[in-house]
Amino acid sequence: MNVIGIVGWKNCGKTTLASALIRELSGRGLMVNSIKHAHHGVDIDQPGTDSYKHRDAGAREVILAGGQRFAIMRELRGAEEPTLDELLGRLAPCDWVVVEGFKTHAHPKIEVHRRECTNKPLYPEDANIIAVVADYAADFPGPVFTQNDAAGIADFILNRDKR
């Protein structure tokens, strides 16, 4: 399984790029999974639903299954947040995993940075950033792409993988 990360500061375009890259890789016939990190409390379940009642009653994991998809909700109940490696280990086999977030983990990453982002770019301090997506002439020593170039970014990571 190959992993590519999409990192950057809040509201700089990470989700837009991750979605476009997933669409591009999937459109090329590759099986793609994704992991999205959130710094805020995440709850895909709502009070009053049966699955919520199961979790509220103390179930550590609840699978919510339907005809179109299923979701596994795991309550940490005070345990440490799982690492990216632990989460990757839970995924089904695939060709690529697009990871949004986990910017401090050591995996190949593409940074998204826009002129309007007030924070400085991450790439000067992170050797795991292999490319940058920017709306300006970034001084990154490697490839710099535009937000609309999902095909070029896909070509880059697929060809990089063949080295």
Side-chain angles (χ1 to χ4, degrees):
M1 146 181 1
N2 298 289
V3 176
I4 187 66
I6 307 298
V7 297
W9 299 104
K10 185 176 180 180
N11 296 323
C12 281
K14 296 182 304 295
T15 301
T16 299
L17 178 60
S19 299
L21 188 55
I22 291 166
R23 189 172 296 109
E24 180 67 30
L25 293 170
S26 296
R28 295 183 186 199
L30 298 167
M31 188 177 301
V32 182
N33 292 339
S34 73
I35 295 177
K36 165 70 173 108
H37 187 259
H39 289 286
H40 46 80
V42 174
D43 197 347
I44 60 171
D45 209 2
Q46 300 301 313
T49 63
D50 293 347
S51 53
Y52 183 93
K53 291 174 185 174
H54 291 196
R55 290 189 304 127
D56 191 50
R60 180 147 184 201
E61 281 192 338
V62 175
I63 295 178
L64 178 59
Q68 298 295 321
R69 68 191 53 87
F70 71 91
I72 301 173
M73 295 169 280
R74 182 170 199 167
E75 291 296 316
L76 296 178
R77 305 215 186 274
E80 290 287 319
E81 179 179 343
T83 66
L84 178 56
D85 291 329
E86 290 169 333
L87 294 172
L88 288 167
R90 291 187 64 105
L91 288 176
C94 64
D95 298 309
W96 279 90
V97 179
V98 175
V99 176
E100 182 180 336
F102 287 95
K103 63 182 156 216
T104 61
H105 188 271
H107 61 287
K109 296 174 260 191
I110 298 171
E111 180 178 2
V112 182
H113 195 268
R114 293 191 310 204
R115 194 178 349 241
E116 63 199 42
C117 294
T118 56
N119 296 70
K120 292 181 180 178
L122 300 166
Y123 63 80
E125 305 298 322
D126 187 346
N128 293 300
I129 294 177
I130 60 170
V132 169
V133 171
D135 61 356
Y136 62 92
D139 62 353
F140 182 69
V144 177
F145 297 94
T146 63
Q147 184 81 26
N148 302 341
D149 194 8
I153 296 166
D155 288 342
F156 169 70
I157 65 168
L158 292 171
N159 290 327
R160 183 179 183 277
D161 182 51
K162 293 177 183 173
R163 292 183 203 160

